[in-house]
Amino acid sequence: MNSVCRCCCNFNRCNNKNGLSCRGRKKKKLHPRKHSPRRRPKRCHKLPHLRFGTKICSKVPEGKIGSVCKFSCLAGYELIGHSVSKCVYNAKTHTAYFVNEPPRCRKVFEVNTECPDQGSIQYGNISCTAGNTKLSTCSFHCVEEGYELFPPGLNHNVCYDDLTWSTPVPCCIRQCPARAVMNMVIMMDSSSSIGEKNWNIMKDFVYDLINDFTFGRDAVLGSIFRFNSEVDTTSQIFITSPEDKINLRGSFDKIPYNGRGTMTAQALQHAKKQIDKLEEMHDESVNVSNVLLVITDGKSQDDVKAITKQLHSQGVASFAVAIKAPHGAPLNETQLLEITRNPQHLLHLNDGFDGLDEEFSLALREAICAEKCTTIFRENI
């Protein structure tokens, strides 16, 4: 099939019209409705690790459609190429690929005789065999009870001959979710486009997401509510003690599904009030972070710019789960980024609500827990 035979001549252009090709038997055309669509690939091929640098991808996980990978080089190296690449899907070719080729790290001339000072680790310490000199090995430890290193497993690094450290310094975070300390507010979109079946999937997902956290005035304080054109304060859930968690399943079952419209900015204003209220309830001796999670399938009908600016200036870490149904309306990427202020905090589900599974719940929970990290990794989660 498709082989081509041509003659050999001693004058020019003799083969232009004399080509013969084997076409095979004529195939019967299928009725358009009987065509079965090609299945969308689930993942892109993973990008290679960056030598003399770091590659950290959004917790979607890496190869899934919508996953974003961010690259950075170690001290003493400069990045050649794009610092960010995103996994996208081409409907015409039915292929998934990262939009940018992976970059590389190029050595920059160093005049120092030592690796750069690594500073200190909050709630931990650094112990080095030979200070910052070549081939010195530094070990990292968390000394405060209830804290652990992040990223997990990064417990040492080495000063290379080129005066760069093999890895960045990790940080010590509270064991999470078991010993996390934060104020967590979750907004659930209950507009008419969701549908009752998907609404129940969303409720089960949120319940499983927070079930592993410990609640109390010295741990996590939470508030969960639904919104559409209005904020439903009647069914709003407050979790401020272990006793509240005991009755959590029943509280979720009582949250109704009705209404229409998506007034996200109005709901964000309500979320800010809940964060302020939870901050007052926490013990003053506890260092608390504020986390906001928005789960939605559509664009807001009101302007979110002003309120998201207030939340950002308050230090609130905002996450958004953007769910696009297979035949649903396109999401407003610009508006969602206004909410999160960080591309790594915007997680896409292009396969609809079925993507709210255990794997995605674990990835989101890890991202929320890692937000407390105050080193280079904070900007790459």
Side-chain angles (χ1 to χ4, degrees):
M1 181 66 178
N2 293 326
S3 65
V4 177
C5 302
R6 292 188 181 276
C7 60
C8 184
C9 306
N10 57 7
F11 58 94
N12 192 26
R13 298 178 182 270
C14 67
N15 284 326
N16 280 5
K17 299 180 180 180
N18 296 335
L20 303 176
S21 63
C22 177
R23 298 180 181 176
R25 290 184 300 172
K26 188 174 182 181
K27 292 185 178 180
K28 184 178 179 181
K29 290 186 177 180
L30 295 175
H31 193 278
R33 293 182 179 177
K34 295 182 180 180
H35 278 297
S36 55
R38 296 183 64 178
R39 300 188 88 186
R40 235 173 118 153
K42 290 185 177 180
R43 298 173 186 267
C44 295
H45 291 295
K46 286 188 177 182
L47 295 172
H49 289 287
L50 184 63
R51 191 183 181 195
F52 305 120
T54 58
K55 178 194 75 171
I56 300 181
C57 298
S58 58
K59 305 286 185 176
V60 177
E62 175 184 339
K64 203 168 182 181
I65 307 294
S67 174
V68 177
C69 291
K70 199 170 183 181
F71 300 89
S72 60
C73 294
L74 300 175
Y77 290 84
E78 61 179 349
L79 191 73
I80 306 300
H82 295 277
S83 62
V84 177
S85 189
K86 184 175 182 179
C87 176
V88 298
Y89 173 72
N90 189 318
K92 292 184 178 180
T93 61
H94 302 286
T95 56
Y97 57 91
F98 278 96
V99 293
N100 295 320
E101 292 292 325
R104 61 186 178 88
C105 291
R106 183 173 64 187
K107 184 179 178 181
V108 179
F109 179 73
E110 290 282 349
V111 296
N112 298 327
T113 58
E114 294 183 341
C115 282
D117 184 73
Q118 300 191 95
S120 60
I121 302 178
Q122 189 178 18
Y123 309 118
N125 60 35
I126 303 176
S127 177
C128 301
T129 57
N132 296 328
T133 59
K134 292 180 182 180
L135 303 183
S136 175
T137 299
C138 295
S139 301
F140 312 117
H141 306 277
C142 294
V143 297
E144 287 284 334
E145 182 181 358
Y147 284 79
E148 60 188 3
L149 289 171
F150 180 86
L154 204 169
N155 53 19
H156 72 279
N157 65 1
V158 179
C159 179
Y160 286 150
D161 286 337
D162 60 2
L163 302 179
T164 60
W165 293 103
S166 57
T167 63
V169 178
C171 68
C172 290
I173 62 172
R174 294 267 296 194
Q175 292 173 3
C176 188
R179 297 194 178 191
V181 179
M182 65 178 69
N183 298 314
M184 182 187 299
V185 175
I186 300 178
M187 296 168 37
M188 298 189 298
D189 182 354
S190 70
S191 56
S192 57
S193 60
I194 300 290
E196 190 161 356
K197 176 185 176 182
N198 292 331
W199 172 248
N200 289 326
I201 292 176
M202 189 196 302
K203 286 201 300 182
D204 289 341
F205 171 79
V206 174
Y207 175 79
D208 292 336
L209 174 70
I210 65 175
N211 203 36
D212 290 335
F213 287 89
T214 301
F215 290 89
R217 293 180 182 271
D218 59 346
V220 178
L221 298 177
S223 174
I224 304 164
F225 64 89
R226 72 182 183 101
F227 72 99
N228 39 63
S229 60
E230 301 288 342
V231 174
D232 183 4
T233 57
T234 304
S235 64
Q236 181 172 345
I237 299 174
F238 286 98
I239 319 171
T240 59
S241 67
E243 290 75 22
D244 293 335
K245 189 175 178 181
I246 295 174
N247 303 317
L248 192 57
R249 180 73 266 182
S251 299
F252 266 87
D253 291 339
K254 292 178 181 178
I255 302 178
Y257 170 68
N258 54 48
R260 58 191 308 170
T262 309
M263 304 294 282
T264 309
Q266 177 180 261
L268 288 170
Q269 291 171 353
H270 181 72
K272 184 181 183 305
K273 293 179 181 178
Q274 307 316 301
I275 291 173
D276 295 340
K277 185 183 298 183
L278 294 175
E279 280 185 329
E280 295 177 358
M281 297 174 65
H282 252 119
D283 290 345
E284 294 183 0
S285 60
V286 180
N287 183 20
V288 182
S289 61
N290 294 316
V291 173
L292 171 65
L293 173 61
V294 181
I295 305 177
T296 182
D297 77 331
K299 61 181 181 180
S300 176
Q301 296 170 328
D302 50 0
D303 193 352
V304 302
K305 289 182 181 179
I307 182 60
T308 54
K309 185 176 180 180
Q310 293 177 36
L311 289 166
H312 181 68
S313 62
Q314 190 175 340
V316 177
S318 299
F319 293 81
V321 176
I323 306 173
K324 183 182 183 302
H327 304 292
L331 297 166
N332 190 326
E333 190 86 4
T334 302
Q335 194 176 69
L336 291 167
L337 285 173
E338 286 177 350
I339 295 174
T340 65
R341 296 294 184 104
N342 185 342
Q344 307 305 317
H345 288 182
L346 175 56
L347 292 87
H348 293 82
L349 283 176
N350 294 321
D351 298 326
F353 286 83
D354 289 337
L356 293 174
D357 53 20
E358 185 177 350
E359 180 185 4
F360 186 78
S361 177
L362 178 61
L364 179 57
R365 188 160 53 238
E366 288 180 352
I368 291 173
C369 286
E371 179 58 26
K372 285 285 288 181
C373 201
T374 56
T375 66
I376 185 175
F377 295 103
R378 179 185 178 101
E379 296 181 357
N380 292 284
I381 297 301

